[in-house]
Amino acid sequence: MTQSARQNNYPTLYSRIISFENLILAYKKARKGKTRKDYVIEFEENSAYNLKILYEELKNQTYKPKPLQTFIIRDPKTRRISVSTFRDRIVHHALCNIIEPIFDKTFICDSCANRKGKGTLFALKRLDFFKRKITYNLRSKASCLKVDIKHYFQEIDRKILLKIIQRKINDEKTIDLIKLIINNSDFEKGMPLGNLTSQFFANVYLNELDFFIKQKLKIKYYIRYVDDFVILHFHKFQLEVWKKDIIYFLKEELNLELHQEKSKIINLSRGVDFVGFRNFYYFKLLRKRSVNLMIKKCILFQNGVIHKEKFLEMIYGWSAYAKWANSYILIKNKFFKFNFL
């Protein structure tokens, strides 16, 4: 697409992002599920005024994001979470409301994370479908290349990311806003875990890999969930060849590396560890750490640490997720002591 064509496609992109209607929609999305939080209550005490000030700052391009609030969680893996202030989250939603549809239509079908109509269940169903296709309805053997990218969010090269974004977005003010958001960090590279924009830009970044795999390598049975992806094929040798091609592409084009311990070729019959389940030929099991994490949350609720509404939201969500596993006995044995369930 030529530069002039891009300009004609999105002539008023920034004005659409900062429009008052879009900011109100972004505000509603940012507060969803968080109405009891102090920072939301404080903002809502004078929401119309606060949104007007935010609009004026964006309009005059005097808006500056506040420093990220960082904390460590262990669930059980230790992760550094960095989140923006509520006011900045409204801007993130406003930006994604407008530019996400532009990029989403370029994403492949089997990029499953953080997209409408996709998610964990979609990824599981696609894996089951591919598994049946590659094994002639589970009658023959096949293998899987299971890949995890090393320290993905911390290793994203923001200069490369910006070049990728600028191929689709030619609006200078929008690019300036994106620069403010992605460079709001204490580190020279990487994206903070915890922000909506980080999740979205993570998909934009690895969309380059998706196209390399689908268009250049012509791989049919490929599914990606953030930085975790699987490729299915009849022969291990072909998967070894593709693995080398992917390693080279990631290093040369995206400045990323595979996690050596978590990236390997296995027989499908051994079970594929993907999106929280160990997926076998005829059944799937929950990861034990998923069950143990929910047990910890039950204990916290029992001890009054977690509010009832928040706990019910978590347990209903987890139950909808866990029901897709063949783990009834495991769940029954682990949760029998919690009578309130």
Side-chain angles (χ1 to χ4, degrees):
M1 183 181 288
T2 65
Q3 183 175 358
S4 59
R6 284 200 300 264
Q7 288 174 330
N8 290 335
N9 279 343
Y10 315 118
T12 58
L13 199 60
Y14 189 71
S15 61
R16 288 166 58 200
I17 291 168
I18 70 166
S19 70
F20 215 74
E21 293 80 8
N22 189 44
L23 286 179
I24 292 171
L25 176 61
Y27 161 63
K28 290 177 179 178
K29 287 184 175 181
R31 73 189 286 276
K32 188 176 180 180
K34 299 177 177 65
T35 53
R36 292 177 177 269
K37 298 289 185 180
D38 291 341
Y39 55 78
V40 176
I41 294 170
E42 182 181 351
F43 190 93
E44 287 187 334
E45 286 176 356
N46 206 346
S47 58
Y49 174 77
N50 289 330
L51 286 172
K52 185 175 184 300
I53 293 297
L54 185 57
Y55 167 76
E56 292 294 335
E57 288 181 13
L58 289 166
K59 179 183 176 183
N60 298 325
Q61 290 190 278
T62 57
Y63 165 78
K64 300 291 182 188
K66 297 287 176 62
L68 300 173
Q69 300 167 336
T70 300
F71 54 92
I72 304 297
I73 66 168
R74 295 174 177 85
D75 64 344
K77 186 166 64 175
T78 300
R79 293 184 294 168
R80 176 187 167 123
I81 305 296
S82 299
V83 297
S84 296
T85 62
F86 181 67
R87 187 172 184 267
D88 292 332
R89 282 181 240 170
I90 295 172
V91 176
H92 296 177
H93 277 280
L95 176 68
C96 289
N97 284 349
I98 304 303
I99 71 168
E100 188 172 356
I102 296 170
F103 285 93
D104 191 77
K105 58 188 170 186
T106 71
F107 293 165
I108 66 168
C109 172
D110 295 313
S111 168
C112 304
N114 309 311
R115 298 177 66 195
K116 291 177 183 177
K118 309 286 183 176
T120 303
L121 178 56
F122 179 87
L124 279 176
K125 287 182 175 179
R126 291 297 280 175
L127 180 58
D128 284 341
F129 175 71
F130 287 168
K131 191 167 58 180
R132 290 183 176 277
K133 294 283 284 186
I134 202 75
T135 61
Y136 298 100
N137 205 24
L138 308 179
R139 290 196 297 266
S140 63
K141 293 181 180 180
S143 296
C144 173
L145 170 59
K146 169 69 170 62
V147 175
D148 188 274
I149 296 174
K150 188 177 181 180
H151 304 145
Y152 175 52
F153 278 86
Q154 297 98 306
E155 295 297 327
I156 290 175
D157 189 313
R158 297 200 289 260
K159 291 180 181 177
I160 295 175
L161 172 63
L162 199 58
K163 287 179 182 177
I164 294 169
I165 293 169
Q166 286 175 313
R167 290 185 210 148
K168 295 293 293 181
I169 303 295
N170 198 40
D171 182 284
E172 188 177 337
K173 290 182 178 180
T174 300
I175 293 297
D176 287 342
L177 178 60
I178 290 170
K179 285 179 181 177
L180 281 176
I181 292 170
I182 67 176
N183 291 323
N184 184 31
S185 171
D186 297 331
F187 303 101
E188 291 184 7
K189 62 178 179 178
M191 301 285 291
L193 271 171
N195 281 337
L196 172 70
T197 46
S198 297
Q199 297 168 10
F200 169 63
F201 289 134
N203 265 348
V204 171
Y205 201 70
L206 280 186
N207 190 44
E208 302 295 298
L209 173 66
D210 296 341
F211 269 81
F212 173 72
I213 286 175
K214 300 297 286 187
Q215 302 298 324
K216 299 294 184 182
L217 300 183
K218 305 294 183 183
I219 296 173
K220 289 178 67 176
Y221 304 120
Y222 163 72
I223 314 166
R224 181 174 64 81
Y225 194 93
V226 195
D227 61 326
D228 192 9
F229 63 88
V230 293
I231 297 171
L232 278 57
H233 198 265
F234 310 105
H235 303 299
K236 285 187 177 182
F237 174 76
Q238 180 62 73
L239 291 174
E240 290 283 5
V241 173
W242 284 339
K243 183 179 179 182
K244 290 176 183 177
D245 291 335
I246 289 167
I247 289 171
Y248 182 81
F249 176 85
L250 286 172
K251 184 64 179 175
E252 293 299 313
E253 300 297 327
L254 298 177
N255 203 16
L256 296 171
E257 295 180 13
L258 297 190
H259 197 299
Q260 292 301 319
E261 293 178 5
K262 297 180 180 179
S263 302
K264 49 193 174 183
I265 297 169
I266 55 176
N267 292 325
L268 278 177
S269 58
R270 288 178 51 197
V272 180
D273 201 2
F274 188 56
V275 292
F277 297 86
R278 193 160 180 97
N279 299 270
F280 294 87
Y281 264 59
Y282 301 102
F283 62 94
K284 54 182 65 68
L285 300 176
L286 278 169
R287 285 177 179 168
K288 288 185 179 179
R289 76 179 189 187
S290 174
V291 177
N292 292 335
L293 178 61
M294 186 49 63
I295 286 172
K296 287 181 182 178
K297 290 178 179 178
C298 287
I299 293 170
L300 289 173
F301 169 68
Q302 212 170 28
N303 294 335
V305 177
I306 299 178
H307 191 273
K308 182 179 179 180
E309 287 184 11
K310 180 66 175 176
F311 176 74
L312 288 175
E313 181 184 327
M314 287 190 299
I315 200 73
Y316 288 147
W318 186 82
S319 298
Y321 159 84
K323 74 178 183 180
W324 293 98
N326 304 92
S327 298
Y328 174 76
I329 294 175
L330 171 66
I331 294 172
K332 183 179 179 182
N333 290 340
K334 289 280 189 177
F335 288 91
F336 78 97
K337 60 184 176 181
F338 298 107
N339 296 326
F340 55 83
L341 293 178

